[in-house]
């Protein structure tokens, strides 16, 4: 039995991880969850990145050509805009009104609204004050609802960004304060941080306690960050989530640098520590350790009791749910019963996690109690010696920690790739959010323990953070209302902040653009057009004299040309903003710009209409087009410099390559400089050289292309030729297949005459060439036995030739690459 892969979904039900067993068959995928839930998925065609581009008319806004409306701001600045485009993006606004809408508003508000009208996005670098000004100015006006929603979303995302910035900055500040404490900068004394700290055990113990408190504050800020991301990620786009995850990854080197600095300070202190000073510190720490063990033991016992209470209440809830589920099933509520079944399965999974955590807590509790008992049985002298020994071991490991930190910092990107970090970040935040949710749900059982922790840490930032998480109730004011605790964050260090929300400043893809959809409808209805495309189609015809005796045409006596003219109405501003070639023609001052008419030759009217529809909507269904139509569309897009459509046609044509079209598409890609299509066509021809190179179409190619095809077919894929010769040997007589004649034919196909003088060639050289081919095949077979069938033959041929047919050297080349 082969284990099926496991597909994981993150973030469902406040941090749960649901594992489905996956079975894939053709285009169907069956997901099964612990025999209680089955999901059948149908594969749909994935969107190719070249198939969609951000869609906008910003070129027209920035260029100002063909404008027919002028909007004046409150500072008299004028904006030249286009009624045609404004009616597409903001159709509910009356743009025929005098003065035009938006007149008299602040400049930044008008600029932001117009940027949205032309691109359905906000301008890069827009400020919070501008977004608030837009909302204030347009809330009472009709027709701007979608724009106001976008501004509100921007403000929410900016607030989230500021929250994350503040949390990360606070964690950095806590780390800096810990370093300052051990450096002697945060104790409030004027003493140097050298011998004064290690010579004063009481001061050292105080600093350690303060540092632990700062660590607790930083830890709770990290919990808030994880909870904030888990709660808000559903409201963010994929790009916004990735911005936050990338920002978190960019903070890792800073935190590691702070950790290294802390370890260097500790190393500096430990280097000056004598044996007598170490003994004095150990003597002072013994009562502190005894007191800490008592507190920790009590805390662990209370934690275990709270877990037992939580598990007991969860068991009772599970039994009640099971009883209700049975009743629903009896009454015939199948759909609701299935939902309850999945919910019950998830609940049982949570319960198992809690029980596992309870078991680990119980084991640690026993281990701690044993340690405490053993420590209590020691004499005072033994306790001091034990603490001094552990302290010495810890000091000896500080340099090793520093080396490991430096190694990790130097190779952080290699050890933690983007995909791995994204997975770890999502997994970690989900688990933290799940644990926090359980604590909040059973807060009443943990109230005494949480209050004890607050008393031990004794930091306003820590308490206010617990209030934010919902673990502690806010303090009551004298009039009975809850008050919020907002301690002031003091830090003099400026750290880099999370980048602005980029996704709201990027125009939507053409498939998702409302403006693109309205523009296509306007073209189809020919509404408010101001220019014409004239497509001229010339058809050759003639009179034919027929011999009625045999029924065959014997001569053409007269020729005539039939000219068909097709007219397509369009809009100057849209055509000019979406195609630079048409923009230059319409603004050139020549006949096209005067008559507002562009004449098009050598194309099909239906194909040119599809071309215009792409300009208007940014989208075209290439999957339904034939190879000839795609080739003509590629030629049309190359002629009029529409690179995005040319790339789309090139990508689609790659799926049309077969034995009949490979040479044609090779010639087409070479003509229009489509490198990706040319590479795929060459590879296909190489794999099918025996059939394709014998066709008449191959000899119609330019000599340069023929030479390129032959060279590519012989060296990376020389096996194709060899298989061809081998195939002939089974059908011909033995006398006709001598090794010398095969070598002559092979050398002739390689066209080696250009490189070597024919008179210098000999049968021994030809036989040597055949021996090289045999060695190449033998080397490829050896490589295939090791690397498997998944590696393309061209790759194996390349490394075999580079290694001079030595299998061991070829393997080294392959794995080093």
């Amino acid at each position: 039995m082969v284990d099926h892969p496991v597909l994981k979904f993150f973030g469902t039900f406040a941090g749960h991880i649901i594992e489905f067993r996956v079975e894939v068959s053709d285009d169907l995928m069956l997901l099964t969850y612990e025999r209680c839930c089955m999901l059948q998925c149908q594969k749909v065609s994935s969107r190719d990145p070249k198939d969609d581009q951000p869609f906008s008319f910003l070129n027209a806004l920035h260029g100002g050509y063909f404008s027919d409306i002028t909007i004046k701001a409150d500072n008299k600045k004028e904006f030249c805009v286009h009624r045609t485009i404004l009616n597409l993006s903001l159709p509910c606004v009356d743009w025929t009104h005098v003065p035009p809408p938006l007149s008299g508003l602040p400049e930044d508000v008008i600029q932001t609204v117009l940027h949205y009208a032309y691109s359905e996005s906000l301008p890069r670098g827009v400020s919070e004050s501008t977004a608030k000004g837009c909302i204030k100015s347009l809330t009472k006006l009709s027709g701007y609802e979608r724009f106001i929603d976008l501004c509100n979303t921007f403000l929410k995302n900016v607030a989230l960004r500021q929250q994350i910035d503040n949390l990360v900055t606070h964690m950095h500040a806590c780390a800096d304060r810990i370093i300052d404490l051990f450096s002697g900068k945060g104790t409030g004394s004027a003493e140097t941080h050298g011998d004064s700290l290690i010579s004063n055990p009481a001061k050292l113990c105080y600093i350690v306690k303060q540092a632990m408190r700062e660590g607790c504050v930083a830890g709770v800020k990290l919990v808030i960050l994880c909870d904030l991301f888990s709660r808000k990620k559903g409201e963010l786009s994929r790009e916004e989530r990735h911005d936050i995850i990338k920002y978190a990854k960019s903070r890792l080197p800073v935190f590691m640098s702070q950790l290294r600095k802390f370890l260097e300070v500790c190393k500096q202190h430990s280097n000056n520590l004598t044996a007598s000073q170490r003994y004095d510190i150990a003597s002072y720490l013994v009562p502190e350790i005894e007191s800490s063990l008592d507190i920790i033991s009590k805390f662990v016992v209370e934690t275990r009791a709270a877990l037992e209470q939580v598990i007991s209440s969860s068991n009772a809830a599970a039994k009640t749910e099971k009883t209700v589920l049975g009743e629903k099933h009896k009454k015939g509520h199948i759909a609701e019963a299935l939902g309850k079944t999945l919910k019950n399965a998830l609940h049982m999974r949570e319960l198992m996690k809690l029980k596992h955590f309870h078991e680990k807590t119980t084991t640690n509790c026993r281990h701690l109690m044993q340690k405490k008992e053993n420590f209590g049985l020691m004499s005072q002298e033994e306790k001091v010696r034990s603490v001094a020994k552990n302290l010495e071991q810890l000091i000896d490991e500080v340099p090793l920690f520093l080396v490991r930190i430096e190694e990790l910092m130097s190779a952080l990107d290699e050890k933690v790739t983007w995909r791995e970090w994204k997975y770890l970040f999502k997994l970690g935040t989900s688990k933290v959010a799940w644990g926090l949710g359980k604590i909040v749900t059973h807060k009443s059982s943990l109230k005494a323990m949480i209050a004890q922790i607050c008393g031990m840490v004794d930091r306003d930032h820590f308490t206010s953070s617990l209030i934010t998480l919902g673990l502690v109730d806010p303090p009551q004011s004298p009039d009975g209302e809850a008050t919020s605790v907002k301690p002031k964050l003091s830090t003099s260090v400026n750290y880099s902040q999370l980048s602005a929300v980029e996704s709201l400043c990027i125009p939507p893809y053409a498939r998702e653009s409302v403006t693109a959809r309205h523009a296509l409808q306007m073209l189809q209805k020919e509404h408010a057009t101001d220019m014409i495309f004239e497509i001229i189609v010339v058809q050759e015809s003639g009179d034919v004299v027929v011999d009625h005796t045999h029924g065959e045409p014997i001569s053409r006596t007269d020729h005539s040309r039939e000219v068909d003219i097709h007219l397509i109405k369009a809009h100057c501003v849209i055509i000019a903003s979406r195609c630079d070639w048409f923009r230059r023609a319409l603004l050139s001052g020549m006949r096209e710009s005067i008559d507002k008419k562009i004449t098009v030759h050598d194309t099909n009217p239906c194909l040119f209409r599809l071309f215009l529809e792409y300009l208007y909507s940014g989208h075209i269904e290439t999957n339904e087009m034939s190879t000839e139509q795609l080739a003509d569309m590629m030629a049309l897009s190359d002629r009029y410099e529409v690179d995005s459509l040319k790339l789309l046609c090139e990508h689609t044509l790659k799926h049309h390559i077969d034995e009949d079209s490979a040479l044609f598409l090779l010639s087409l890609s070479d003509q229009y400089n489509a490198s990706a299509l040319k590479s795929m066509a060459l590879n296909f021809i190489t794999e099918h050289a025996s059939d394709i190179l014998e066709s008449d179409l191959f000899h119609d190619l330019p000599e340069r292309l023929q030479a390129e095809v032959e060279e590519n077919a012989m060296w990376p894929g020389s096996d194709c030729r060899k298989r061809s010769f081998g195939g002939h040997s089974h059908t011909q007589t033995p006398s006709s297949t001598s090794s010398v004649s095969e070598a002559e034919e092979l050398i002739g196909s390689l066209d080696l005459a250009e490189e070597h003088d024919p008179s210098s060639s000999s049968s021994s050289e030809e036989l040597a060439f055949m021996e090289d081919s045999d060695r190449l095949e033998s080397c490829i077979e050896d490589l295939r036995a090791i690397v498997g069938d998944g590696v393309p033959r061209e790759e194996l041929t390349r490394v075999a030739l580079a290694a001079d047919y030595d299998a061991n050297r070829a393997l080294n080349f392959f794995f080093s690459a």
Side-chain angles (χ1 to χ4, degrees):
M1 295 293 292
V2 179
D3 292 334
H4 296 288
V6 175
L7 186 63
K8 295 184 177 181
F9 293 88
F10 297 98
T12 54
F13 293 97
H16 289 294
I17 300 175
I18 309 174
E19 296 182 357
F20 289 88
R21 189 163 297 280
V22 183
E23 299 178 34
V24 180
S25 176
D26 296 329
D27 291 340
L28 294 177
M29 181 170 63
L30 186 66
L31 308 179
T32 307
Y33 176 75
E34 295 186 358
R35 299 183 180 179
C36 70
C37 175
M38 298 179 68
L39 301 176
Q40 181 174 317
C41 306
Q42 175 73 41
K43 181 180 179 181
V44 297
S45 58
S46 59
R47 180 184 301 176
D48 187 82
K50 298 183 181 62
D51 193 17
D52 247 347
Q53 300 286 338
F55 184 89
S56 74
F57 295 114
L58 287 175
N59 289 336
L61 177 63
H62 298 153
Y65 39 74
F66 305 120
S67 61
D68 51 4
I69 299 178
T70 301
I71 299 176
K72 291 185 178 181
D74 57 355
N75 60 357
K76 306 303 180 182
K77 181 175 180 178
E78 296 183 349
F79 294 88
C80 299
V81 293
H82 312 82
R83 182 179 289 109
T84 300
I85 296 178
L86 294 176
N87 283 327
L88 297 175
S89 55
L90 299 170
C92 297
V93 180
D94 182 11
W95 295 104
T96 61
H97 189 272
V98 179
L102 305 179
S103 297
L105 294 179
E107 177 186 344
D108 58 344
V109 172
I110 296 178
Q111 188 173 3
T112 304
V113 176
L114 292 179
H115 190 283
Y116 168 81
Y118 281 72
S119 68
E120 297 181 78
S121 64
L122 298 176
R124 293 183 182 274
V126 62
S127 64
E128 293 179 70
S129 59
T130 300
K132 292 177 181 178
C134 292
I135 295 174
K136 181 179 179 181
S137 302
L138 303 177
T139 298
K140 297 181 180 180
L141 302 179
S142 62
Y144 301 94
E145 290 77 13
R146 292 179 63 244
F147 171 70
I148 293 175
D149 290 342
L150 186 64
C151 290
N152 285 322
T153 302
F154 171 79
L155 292 176
K156 290 179 182 178
N157 291 347
V158 168
L160 175 62
R161 181 197 68 194
Q162 291 175 344
Q163 283 183 282
I164 295 176
D165 281 336
N166 292 336
L167 290 170
V168 174
T169 301
H170 204 156
M171 286 188 281
H172 282 305
C174 290
D176 286 336
R177 282 196 290 271
I178 292 174
I179 297 172
D180 291 342
L181 285 170
F182 280 89
S183 301
K185 301 177 182 178
T187 58
S189 63
E191 296 179 297
T192 61
H193 66 278
D195 297 335
S196 60
L197 183 61
I198 58 178
S199 62
N200 190 343
K203 182 179 179 181
L204 177 61
C205 187
Y206 169 79
I207 288 177
V208 171
K209 290 180 179 179
Q210 297 300 317
M212 292 178 66
R213 290 187 172 98
E214 293 293 341
C216 290
V217 174
V220 76
K221 295 295 181 182
L222 179 61
V223 173
I224 294 177
L225 176 61
C226 295
D227 178 63
L228 187 64
F229 179 79
S230 296
R231 286 190 291 107
K232 297 293 185 180
K233 63 183 178 182
E235 304 174 9
L236 302 175
S237 67
R238 181 173 179 268
E239 291 78 10
E240 290 164 352
R241 292 195 299 270
H242 283 184
D243 284 342
I244 295 175
I245 298 174
K246 290 177 182 177
Y247 173 70
K249 189 174 188 295
S250 70
R251 298 292 86 206
L252 286 180
V254 182
F255 281 114
M256 294 179 66
S257 177
Q258 291 177 315
L259 177 59
R260 181 183 62 183
K261 192 173 181 179
F262 169 73
L263 291 175
E264 288 174 349
V265 173
C266 293
K267 180 182 177 182
Q268 182 179 359
H269 287 305
S270 62
N271 290 337
N272 301 325
L273 190 64
T274 63
S276 59
Q277 289 174 333
R278 187 167 59 247
Y279 187 85
D280 293 339
I281 294 174
S283 300
Y284 188 88
L285 288 179
V286 167
E288 295 288 343
I289 291 175
E290 291 176 339
S291 175
S292 299
L293 285 174
D294 291 336
I295 295 174
I296 295 174
S297 300
K298 183 179 178 182
F299 178 78
V300 172
V301 170
E302 291 179 355
T303 302
R304 187 178 64 175
L307 278 174
E308 292 174 352
Q309 186 175 353
V310 170
I311 292 172
S312 177
S313 60
S314 298
N315 275 327
K319 291 178 180 179
T320 304
E321 189 71 30
K322 190 173 182 179
T323 303
V324 174
L325 180 62
E327 293 177 357
K328 293 285 186 182
H329 187 70
K330 290 178 181 179
K331 293 179 180 179
H333 299 279
I334 302 300
E336 189 172 355
L338 288 175
K340 295 290 184 180
T341 301
L342 179 58
K343 185 178 180 181
N344 183 64
L346 294 173
H347 184 77
M348 293 303 297
R349 188 176 182 85
E350 290 183 20
L351 196 57
M352 292 300 296
K353 289 182 180 179
L354 289 174
K355 289 181 178 179
H356 179 66
F357 183 65
H358 177 263
E359 292 174 358
K360 292 179 64 176
T361 305
T362 303
T363 303
N364 293 333
C365 181
R366 291 173 182 171
H367 184 66
L368 180 63
M369 291 300 181
Q370 185 65 39
K371 288 239 178 215
K372 178 185 176 185
E373 184 179 353
N374 294 337
F375 191 77
L377 293 176
M378 294 180 183
S379 64
Q380 184 67 20
E381 187 65 25
E382 291 174 340
K383 292 178 181 178
V384 174
R385 284 200 301 267
S386 177
V387 173
K389 183 179 179 181
N390 290 327
L391 185 60
E392 183 180 3
Q393 292 176 352
L394 181 62
I395 292 172
D396 292 339
E397 291 180 358
V398 169
L400 297 178
F401 289 148
L402 273 171
V403 173
R404 292 173 184 172
I405 288 294
E406 290 174 356
E407 290 177 353
L408 184 59
M409 289 179 64
S410 61
L412 183 61
D413 291 335
E414 297 177 5
K415 292 182 179 295
V416 184
T417 62
W418 162 244
R419 291 175 62 88
E420 292 172 343
W421 171 251
K422 183 170 64 172
Y423 170 82
L424 293 173
F425 187 86
K426 290 181 178 180
L427 179 63
T429 53
S430 296
K431 285 186 175 293
V432 171
W434 174 83
L436 178 63
K438 283 297 165 188
I439 295 175
V440 172
T441 302
H442 303 280
K443 181 175 64 175
S444 58
S445 303
L446 306 171
K447 188 173 182 180
M449 186 171 60
I450 295 175
Q452 183 181 1
I453 296 175
C454 290
M456 292 172 59
V457 177
D458 192 24
R459 283 286 191 274
D460 290 340
H461 277 298
F462 186 81
T463 304
S464 64
S465 298
L466 293 184
I467 293 174
T468 302
L469 292 172
L471 298 176
V472 176
D473 296 329
Q476 300 291 326
S477 61
D479 56 359
E481 295 182 358
T483 59
S484 59
V485 180
K486 295 183 178 179
K488 184 179 179 181
L489 173 63
S490 59
T491 175
S492 59
V493 183
N494 294 322
Y495 295 100
S496 63
Q497 296 184 343
L498 179 61
S499 60
V501 180
E502 294 292 335
S503 63
L504 299 180
C505 302
I506 299 175
Y509 288 120
R511 292 176 184 267
E512 303 165 356
S513 173
V514 177
T515 303
R517 187 169 64 250
H518 290 169
L520 180 60
Q521 294 173 356
M522 184 175 65
L523 172 67
Q524 294 169 345
K525 296 178 180 178
E526 297 185 350
H527 176 69
T529 58
D530 56 2
M531 68 165 294
I532 294 176
F533 282 99
E534 183 181 66
I535 298 95
I536 299 178
V537 181
V538 179
Q539 298 179 355
E540 296 287 346
S541 63
D543 297 330
V544 178
V545 178
V546 179
D547 181 358
H548 293 279
T549 304
H550 301 91
E552 297 291 340
I554 59 175
S555 64
R556 183 179 298 274
T557 60
D558 187 26
H559 294 273
S560 63
R561 301 177 65 189
E562 295 183 2
V563 178
D564 293 335
I565 299 178
H566 299 264
L567 301 179
I568 300 179
K569 297 180 179 180
H571 305 80
C572 288
V573 61
I574 292 181
I575 293 299
S577 65
R578 297 283 295 161
C579 177
D580 289 339
W581 195 97
F582 289 145
R583 175 179 57 80
R584 293 193 299 268
L586 292 171
L587 296 176
S588 63
M590 305 298 287
R591 180 177 179 180
E592 290 85 356
S593 62
I594 297 173
D595 297 340
K596 293 293 185 292
K597 182 175 72 174
I598 296 179
T599 304
V600 181
H601 299 273
D602 302 329
T603 190
N604 183 291
C606 296
L607 189 72
F608 190 78
R609 175 169 283 277
L610 288 177
F611 175 76
L612 288 182
E613 289 181 356
Y614 176 82
L615 294 183
Y616 272 73
S617 66
H619 173 66
I620 186 173
E621 289 293 343
T622 56
N623 294 330
E624 300 178 358
M625 299 173 65
S626 65
T627 304
E628 291 75 13
Q629 289 176 321
L630 287 168
D632 292 341
M633 185 65 76
M634 187 173 181
L636 200 61
S637 58
D638 181 79
R639 182 195 307 177
Y640 295 115
E641 303 172 9
V642 184
D643 293 336
S644 59
L645 180 57
K646 179 181 175 181
L647 286 174
L648 177 57
C649 293
E650 179 182 0
H651 171 75
T652 309
L653 281 171
K654 289 191 293 187
H655 302 287
H656 287 246
I657 298 176
D658 54 27
E659 293 184 0
D660 296 329
S661 63
L663 292 174
F664 165 70
L665 293 179
L666 174 65
S667 176
L668 181 77
S669 60
D670 182 72
Q671 179 182 356
Y672 296 116
N673 196 26
S675 57
L677 178 61
K678 182 177 181 179
S679 177
M680 287 200 67
L682 276 174
N683 291 337
F684 184 89
I685 293 170
T686 301
E687 295 174 0
H688 304 80
S690 58
D691 298 325
I692 297 179
L693 298 188
E694 301 299 330
S695 65
D696 295 335
L697 186 59
F698 172 72
H699 300 288
D700 295 335
L701 292 176
E703 293 183 0
R704 174 181 54 81
L705 268 185
Q706 291 185 34
E708 187 175 355
V709 170
E710 290 176 345
E711 180 181 0
N712 192 74
M714 291 310 305
W715 286 111
S718 59
D719 55 293
C720 297
R721 282 289 187 181
K722 187 171 182 180
R723 286 196 298 268
S724 175
F725 299 143
H728 287 299
S729 66
H730 293 289
T731 58
Q732 296 176 352
T733 60
S735 61
S736 64
T737 57
S738 65
S739 60
V740 177
S741 64
E742 289 180 352
E744 290 175 350
E745 184 178 356
L746 184 61
I747 294 174
S749 64
L750 280 171
D751 198 15
L752 296 179
E754 296 180 3
E755 301 180 10
H756 302 283
D757 185 3
S759 62
S760 64
S761 301
S762 64
S763 60
S764 60
E765 291 176 341
E766 296 168 354
L767 289 173
F769 185 86
M770 292 303 300
E771 290 175 0
D772 288 346
S773 299
D774 293 335
R775 292 172 61 195
L776 175 64
E777 285 298 311
S778 177
C779 182
I780 290 177
E781 290 177 2
D782 294 339
L783 292 174
R784 182 73 71 191
I786 297 174
V787 302
D789 298 329
V791 182
R793 182 181 178 87
E794 302 89 271
E795 178 68 11
L796 297 181
T797 304
R798 183 183 65 81
V799 297
L801 291 173
D804 197 19
Y805 314 117
D806 188 309
N808 293 327
R809 292 178 60 196
L811 281 175
N812 291 335
F813 291 159
F814 177 82
F815 288 113
S816 63

